[in-house]
Amino acid sequence: MEPRTPNPTPEEGEQRRRRLQILGLNTSDPEAKFDRVARLAGRFAQAPLAMVNFINDERQMFRGMYTPPSGDDGGGSEGIAFDLSNLPEVAREAPIDYGFCPHVVADKSQLALDDVFDYPRFKGNPLVNEMGVRSYLGTPLLDHTGVILGTVCVADMRPRQWSSDHMESMQSLASTLLSEFQLRDSLLAQQQEMFAIFDGAPFPIMLTEGPDHVLRYANAKQGAAFGRVQQLSKGRQVLPGLDSVGVFKAMDRALSSGQTATLGEARIASYDFEEPQVFTFTCTPVRLSPTAPVSGVLTVAMNITGQAPSGSEQKLAADLTSQFERIGQGWPAAGQDGENGASLR
């Protein structure tokens, strides 16, 4: 039977996007754990392209990817390794209509294409035209709550028959990631307990994620001073006052450099005072887990109206981050996967 055109309901797409945001997976940032799973899939299937692909309602994000090095075709494939160098926009991200993974998500079932040319709807797919894909095997990637987050998939540039062993092994690989999603949820629950402590702090605190600075948490003082906004909204869009004085530029620096960034003596109108107030902002980069890349920023604001900056703001931000680091001691030590730095656990 010819596979259907992917057509998930808007509710499913929104649910999946929100779930990916909660788990810290709604970006295309590579992650060592997912690259390892992709490598295992590629080597077992002897395929020159393998991916762990997370899919929201707008795009596909290849947080795990494997293409064999030159001279290593994945362990015996007669095809050749994909060259992604001429397709930088596709290397870790693709539009929602690109390739076959969206069909797997929409159909909620494994999809095996021995020869793409046997399916007219797939024959003209950009993945075929631009990269020469001729065969594909994709498996739904479910989390422990039953939400399909994306796929684990392999592809080749030659027609080939996918065996039952290939299909079962791909399902097993996808299942190995269930524990990763469970751990993330567990640590997020512990973070919420820490946030409950921050709720009563007498200074504004917020935690954001990704280059869009999606708001994961803001304490009561943050809302009282700069405006209450919806969780998981994009910071720049919903907090224009902070953007206008350069707070988000400081957050950009912290996110990109992995180093604490500060903004001193920013004069801004706040909702809890009649006159504009002078604040310092300390932006500390954080990780969602020890083996993950820097993914967020913890921003602490201090009202210093009428007084000189003392430097205590940076120490306070460091103390807050260290409290996060004490959560989830069951995680492997930072750096186990070749990555260093403090982590938000």
Side-chain angles (χ1 to χ4, degrees):
M1 183 177 69
E2 184 175 328
R4 300 192 304 271
T5 300
N7 188 30
T9 66
E11 292 77 14
E12 289 176 331
E14 170 65 18
Q15 180 189 36
R16 189 165 55 254
R17 180 189 62 80
R18 186 173 180 85
R19 186 74 181 123
L20 289 171
Q21 284 184 321
I22 290 172
L23 293 173
L25 297 171
N26 200 44
T27 71
S28 57
D29 297 327
E31 197 162 331
K33 180 184 296 290
F34 302 129
D35 278 342
R36 285 198 300 270
V37 171
R39 183 171 64 249
L40 287 171
R43 288 188 175 277
F44 174 79
Q46 299 182 2
L49 177 64
M51 296 182 295
V52 176
N53 182 11
F54 295 98
I55 302 174
N56 62 23
D57 51 347
E58 297 178 344
R59 59 180 175 159
Q60 304 177 68
M61 299 157 289
F62 311 137
R63 289 181 73 104
M65 177 176 283
Y66 174 69
T67 57
S70 178
D72 177 3
D73 61 9
S77 170
E78 295 176 7
I80 61 175
F82 285 97
D83 180 8
L84 303 178
S85 60
N86 294 324
L87 296 167
E89 73 282 0
V90 178
R92 286 282 180 173
E93 187 173 314
I96 194 65
D97 59 349
Y98 197 101
F100 314 118
C101 291
H103 293 263
V104 176
V105 171
D107 290 347
K108 302 180 177 64
S109 63
Q110 198 170 47
L111 174 62
L113 302 174
D114 295 340
D115 189 346
V116 174
F117 286 3
D118 289 340
Y119 304 93
R121 291 182 184 176
F122 286 157
K123 186 175 180 179
N125 191 283
L127 195 64
V128 178
N129 295 340
E130 297 177 21
M131 297 179 65
V133 168
R134 287 292 300 273
S135 55
Y136 167 89
L137 173 60
T139 300
L141 181 57
L142 281 76
D143 73 358
H144 54 289
T145 70
V147 176
I148 298 178
L149 303 179
T151 70
V152 177
C153 66
V154 291
D156 208 327
M157 292 193 297
R158 63 185 176 95
R160 56 182 295 179
Q161 185 174 6
W162 302 108
S163 69
S164 59
D165 283 346
H166 287 136
M167 299 174 73
E168 291 173 5
S169 295
M170 292 289 287
Q171 290 174 331
S172 296
L173 279 175
S175 297
T176 64
L177 291 174
L178 282 173
S179 60
E180 169 71 11
F181 306 139
Q182 288 174 317
L183 279 171
R184 288 179 182 240
D185 265 340
S186 176
L187 295 177
L188 287 168
Q190 295 179 63
Q191 288 173 19
Q192 292 302 318
E193 295 177 4
M194 183 65 70
F195 292 155
I197 299 173
F198 292 169
D199 280 342
F203 41 81
I205 303 171
M206 66 175 172
L207 175 67
T208 56
E209 178 185 85
D212 289 328
H213 301 297
V214 173
L215 191 71
R216 296 189 68 92
Y217 166 80
N219 71 347
K221 188 62 177 178
Q222 167 78 21
F226 306 124
R228 300 182 186 278
V229 296
Q230 186 175 1
Q231 187 182 28
L232 300 181
S233 54
K234 294 181 179 180
R236 274 194 173 91
Q237 294 179 3
V238 297
L239 295 168
L242 296 185
D243 191 24
S244 66
V245 298
V247 174
F248 285 98
K249 288 183 179 179
M251 294 164 67
D252 287 339
R253 293 197 302 272
L255 190 67
S256 62
S257 70
Q259 303 294 321
T260 297
T262 59
L263 178 66
E265 301 188 63
R267 187 175 180 85
I268 183 173
S270 64
Y271 290 96
D272 49 353
F273 286 92
E274 293 184 1
E275 299 294 328
Q277 301 292 294
V278 178
F279 287 87
T280 63
F281 294 86
T282 302
C283 308
T284 305
V286 294
R287 302 175 190 271
L288 188 64
S289 72
T291 58
V294 171
S295 61
V297 179
L298 182 70
T299 301
V300 177
M302 298 290 288
N303 190 332
I304 61 166
T305 304
Q307 49 187 307
S310 64
S312 61
E313 299 84 8
Q314 292 189 41
K315 182 179 184 303
L316 173 63
D319 289 344
L320 293 177
T321 303
S322 70
Q323 292 185 57
F324 279 114
E325 292 176 2
R326 287 196 291 269
I327 297 177
Q329 294 300 315
W331 279 95
Q336 179 168 315
D337 287 321
E339 300 179 46
N340 299 305
S343 58
L344 170 60
R345 305 182 195 176

